[in-house]
Amino acid sequence: MKIKFTKMHGLGNDFVVIDCINQTISLNQKQLRFIADRHFGIGCDQILLVEKASGDADFFYRIFNADGGEVEQCGNGARCFVRYVHDYGLTQKNPVSVETLSGLITPTLQNNGEVTVDMGIPRFEPVEIPFVADHRALTYALDVKGETVKISALSMGNPHAVRIVDDIDKAPVGSEGALIETHPRFPKRVNVGYMQITDRHCIQLRVFERGAGETLACGTGACAAVVAGIQQDMLDTPVSVNTRGGKLSIRWDGENQPVWMTGPAVTVFEGEINL
């Protein structure tokens, strides 16, 4: 099977984007892992599939992590998605309505080339994240290998745990992140964000992503970190989020309001691969 693809990235969070409208594609988990492999395949954090919507939306957006598992949402990917469908002439609409496993999103391509995405309303009830807890709280104590760490837990269409740290460079992203990702209190695993607050409108962020490990940037992770900081009265909207891949701007006006994310989306190259 020969597949045409486009390599893209949002702040270094990189994707293989595949048009499943103009070519017939069926990928199993082994093939997905091969595509994502940086040594033997193309190499990416996630694989994005552009499909026809089943309802009234313009497109259906599917996301697979590097381990081949399908996930609900990806913020950096959403920006690349809208850039892709415009650049390849699949639509001229702006904004674009896109179905995901977590609901409808409406990315908008800005005149300067950046993309703004309505990432939806954050969810905090433990059953909606999902997270095992008796009741909703601002923060939770989590036992990680005998050590108690404090996290915020919420869903941005996918589950997130947010840890506040004093020094982002010394944060235990690689060692502790994997333990929290697979913690039994997160039945569907979790993305783990480490946030250092610079001031009330600026943070530094690193994220250990579910099924991908640490990435250079995570859009939903940026949204989750800002929401957690605002809820704890440590941040004020809007917030600049500095990741290792670059900067995102996040706006959230509070409870029951959507989170708005703005940032770049870049095409790297096109190609074909035989599977």
Side-chain angles (χ1 to χ4, degrees):
M1 179 172 56
K2 183 177 287 187
I3 295 175
K4 293 181 179 179
F5 69 88
T6 299
K7 182 71 180 287
M8 303 185 74
H9 78 86
L11 301 181
N13 186 192
D14 62 338
F15 310 98
V16 169
V17 186
I18 299 174
D19 178 357
C20 295
I21 296 174
N22 295 307
Q23 53 184 347
T24 302
I25 304 295
S26 178
L27 298 171
N28 59 39
Q29 195 169 50
K30 182 179 179 181
Q31 290 170 321
L32 289 162
R33 289 197 300 265
F34 173 74
I35 290 171
D37 192 292
R38 297 187 184 279
H39 300 287
F40 296 101
I42 303 166
C44 63
D45 294 319
Q46 281 99 13
I47 296 155
L48 313 182
L49 304 186
V50 182
E51 299 184 355
K52 292 180 180 178
S54 57
D56 296 328
D58 299 314
F59 299 98
F60 182 47
Y61 165 37
R62 297 181 70 191
I63 309 130
F64 293 88
N65 279 340
D67 64 357
E70 187 166 11
V71 294
E72 307 89 345
Q73 186 56 282
C74 174
N76 288 325
R79 298 199 314 278
C80 289
F81 187 101
V82 72
R83 189 74 199 233
Y84 179 92
V85 297
H86 271 269
D87 289 353
Y88 285 85
L90 298 179
T91 187
Q92 293 183 336
K93 293 183 179 179
N94 198 27
V96 180
S97 60
V98 183
E99 290 177 356
T100 73
L101 291 181
S102 67
L104 192 71
I105 59 172
T106 53
T108 302
L109 185 61
Q110 305 292 346
N111 291 334
N112 64 0
E114 292 202 330
V115 178
T116 297
V117 186
D118 175 351
M119 295 298 295
I121 298 170
R123 298 195 290 271
F124 305 101
E125 291 298 331
V127 70
E128 294 182 304
I129 296 171
F131 177 63
V132 177
D134 293 333
H135 54 82
R136 173 182 167 178
L138 273 180
T139 61
Y140 303 90
L142 197 68
D143 181 14
V144 181
K145 287 281 180 104
E147 180 184 352
T148 300
V149 299
K150 186 169 79 169
I151 64 162
S152 298
L154 66 147
S155 172
M156 285 302 313
N158 54 357
H160 286 271
V162 181
R163 281 255 280 139
I164 297 173
V165 296
D166 294 327
D167 187 339
I168 197 69
D169 294 322
K170 296 180 180 178
V173 181
S175 55
E176 184 188 89
L179 298 175
I180 296 177
E181 180 206 359
T182 57
H183 197 283
R185 291 182 68 184
F186 290 99
K188 292 188 177 180
R189 298 187 296 163
V190 69
N191 300 285
V192 189
Y194 292 82
M195 169 173 63
Q196 178 185 337
I197 297 174
T198 304
D199 59 46
R200 295 191 68 88
H201 290 281
C202 183
I203 66 171
Q204 312 291 321
L205 182 70
R206 293 170 64 187
V207 179
F208 190 96
E209 290 200 50
R210 179 180 55 165
E214 184 177 5
T215 56
L216 290 176
C218 176
T220 54
C223 295
V226 169
V227 167
I230 290 174
Q231 280 202 312
Q232 295 177 66
D233 195 27
M234 295 179 176
L235 297 172
D236 296 315
T237 193
V239 177
S240 291
V241 179
N242 294 287
T243 72
R244 297 207 156 176
K247 184 182 294 186
L248 291 169
S249 177
I250 307 295
R251 178 167 58 86
W252 185 55
D253 294 328
E255 194 89 3
N256 298 318
Q257 297 298 313
V259 182
W260 294 88
M261 173 187 63
T262 300
V266 177
T267 297
V268 184
F269 62 87
E270 301 173 330
E272 289 186 348
I273 188 170
N274 283 310
L275 295 175

